[in-house]
Amino acid sequence: METPFALSGKKVWVAGHRGLVGSAVVRRLERENCTIITAGRDEVDLRRQAETEAFVEKLRPDVVVVAAAKVGGILANTQKPADFISDNLAIELNVINASFKVGVSKLLFLGSSCIYPKMAPQPIPESALLTGPLEPTNEWYAIAKIAGIKLCQAFRRQHGCDYISAMPTNLYGPGDNFDLNASHVLPALMVKIHNAKQRGDETVTLWGTGTPLREFLHVDDLADALVFMLANYSGEEHLNVGFGSDVSIRDVAGMMAKVIGYEGTFVFDTSKPDGTPKKLMDSSRLMGMGWKPQISLEKGLADTYRWFLDHVEEGLRENKA
Ligand code: GFB
């Protein structure tokens, strides 16, 4: 296992290329001299072992980025615990086993900051994994992601595979899910505030108390970190990928209102869950290796809103017409 690892000339399979993370990884890899392999769910259902193995056997990638996952915000996680644990366990097990069978030389598994205990020390170091009880709203998803980290570690120990894991903080950016029942907070705020402005509503209702703190990273920064890790990291421990500072839900809603040009106020529906009070990650290991995020939250929100207007809002208007 040598670092740096050269992507040049390699066949790189981005599993989950239509998602927020996968599509950003594809955009970023287009700047590398590699061949990108993708397959939609219509071609291969990664929850099915035989289909996954047949696909990997046929295309024989050199490198795999496991960005395929069942993801969602706080409500979706609470409402569909079986889907979140079962789909994610199946996808990661099938992709990792199939990759091993064809001798993939580097694999990068993606987890999430919710793998850490609810009351982890802040900022959360990688070593906080499995030191306490999880946040109940997303423990099903978290357990599946912890199993993914352990799968990579086990293949490393038993077979010497160069499989690594990245744990991103809360992400946002172009290609996000804007469905209010399933989305994370930032796309939800964008839709709610945008609609309120269009309709001339004086208030927007947010979930919870508005006091939880979240760390937000633009997905293009994440994609850059992942390519950096593929090239420069080969270790058993997962690496945190964060922005470095957090913001309350109330404050980020204010930032979003500014971007959209909305002047109304926010009300809080405290019958909806807050989730974990704070989850700022300690990303000093990765940053110490030389990677840094480039996109400020202000700029990232403005760019994402432009993308939303061009892609999502336009589609909604056409559907209504
Ligand atoms: O982004 P989010 O759904 O997930 O919610 P988590 C973050 C915070 O925003 C919570 C509040 O305190 C929500 O109550 N919030 C306010 C809203 N208004 C809204 C709204 O309209 N929609 C949404 N979705 N939230 C996720 C996990 O937790 O973190 C995932 O569920 C994943 O599994 C992800 O790990 C990184 O940050 O609480």
Side-chain angles (χ1 to χ4, degrees):
M1 269 167 268
E2 287 172 14
T3 50
F5 174 88
L7 281 171
S8 181
K10 301 273 174 21
K11 266 200 273 181
V12 185
W13 174 31
V14 181
H17 74 287
R18 292 203 177 120
L20 173 67
V21 173
S23 56
V25 172
V26 168
R27 284 197 297 278
R28 177 60 187 80
L29 283 174
E30 280 163 357
R31 287 164 32 207
E32 302 294 314
N33 182 25
C34 61
T35 305
I36 303 166
I37 303 172
T38 58
R41 199 171 300 179
D42 40 331
E43 286 167 80
V44 51
D45 183 341
L46 299 175
R47 294 169 300 181
R48 297 183 181 272
Q49 183 182 1
E51 276 185 42
T52 310
E53 285 184 357
F55 171 80
V56 174
E57 179 66 39
K58 195 168 116 203
L59 287 157
R60 303 190 82 84
D62 304 305
V63 179
V64 176
V65 179
V66 192
K70 163 95 184 154
V71 298
I74 194 163
L75 192 66
N77 269 269
T78 316
Q79 289 173 336
K80 295 191 172 161
D83 290 0
F84 276 85
I85 191 165
S86 159
D87 286 4
N88 285 307
L89 283 172
I91 292 168
E92 65 205 28
L93 187 62
N94 291 338
V95 172
I96 291 171
N97 271 327
S99 299
F100 174 64
K101 284 192 178 159
V102 300
V104 161
S105 54
K106 186 128 198 174
L107 180 144
L108 172 52
F109 172 72
L110 273 141
S112 156
S113 58
C114 68
I115 59 160
Y116 292 115
K118 176 170 182 148
M119 293 306 173
Q122 306 280 330
I124 312 172
E126 285 87 353
S127 58
L129 182 64
L130 294 173
T131 56
L134 296 164
E135 155 60 34
T137 51
N138 54 34
E139 66 178 323
W140 320 95
Y141 178 73
I143 292 279
K145 289 297 182 183
I146 293 170
I149 298 175
K150 291 294 164 192
L151 268 171
C152 291
Q153 291 178 347
F155 274 85
R156 242 189 134 80
R157 284 199 187 182
Q158 190 177 333
H159 301 294
C161 300
D162 191 1
Y163 296 175
I164 58 174
S165 298
M167 296 304 118
T169 187
N170 284 39
L171 301 168
Y172 70 100
D176 213 336
N177 175 359
F178 290 87
D179 167 2
L180 287 180
N181 290 317
S183 74
H184 289 100
V185 63
L186 290 188
L189 291 179
M190 199 169 280
V191 171
K192 287 179 174 180
I193 297 173
H194 173 82
N195 288 346
K197 185 185 168 195
Q198 302 286 99
R199 290 192 298 248
D201 294 349
E202 284 173 12
T203 61
V204 167
T205 303
L206 304 185
W207 297 350
T209 59
T211 58
L213 295 160
R214 292 291 183 273
E215 179 189 22
F216 295 107
L217 181 72
H218 192 284
V219 73
D220 286 341
D221 269 338
L222 172 71
D224 193 58
L226 299 179
V227 170
F228 179 89
M229 279 180 64
L230 282 171
N232 298 296
Y233 183 65
S234 176
E236 184 174 289
E237 196 170 40
H238 59 282
L239 285 186
N240 288 343
V241 190
F243 181 69
S245 60
D246 55 9
V247 56
S248 73
I249 298 302
R250 180 189 290 274
D251 287 349
V252 80
M255 290 170 73
M256 187 74 84
K258 214 166 151 197
V259 165
I260 296 176
Y262 174 67
E263 289 179 353
T265 53
F266 298 110
V267 292
F268 293 90
D269 173 2
T270 51
S271 71
K272 294 284 196 311
D274 265 346
T276 197
K278 178 173 167 82
K279 51 175 169 180
L280 177 63
M281 304 216 298
D282 177 351
S283 305
S284 54
R285 284 199 64 204
L286 178 62
M287 295 200 193
M289 291 174 206
W291 177 84
K292 298 245 169 331
Q294 304 292 334
I295 307 171
S296 70
L297 187 52
E298 288 80 359
K299 180 176 183 311
L301 292 180
D303 289 352
T304 308
Y305 186 53
R306 265 193 300 278
W307 185 91
F308 168 86
L309 291 175
D310 290 345
H311 295 83
V312 183
E313 212 266 341
E314 191 177 279
L316 292 177
R317 262 189 281 126
E318 276 167 12
N319 284 344
K320 273 186 221 147

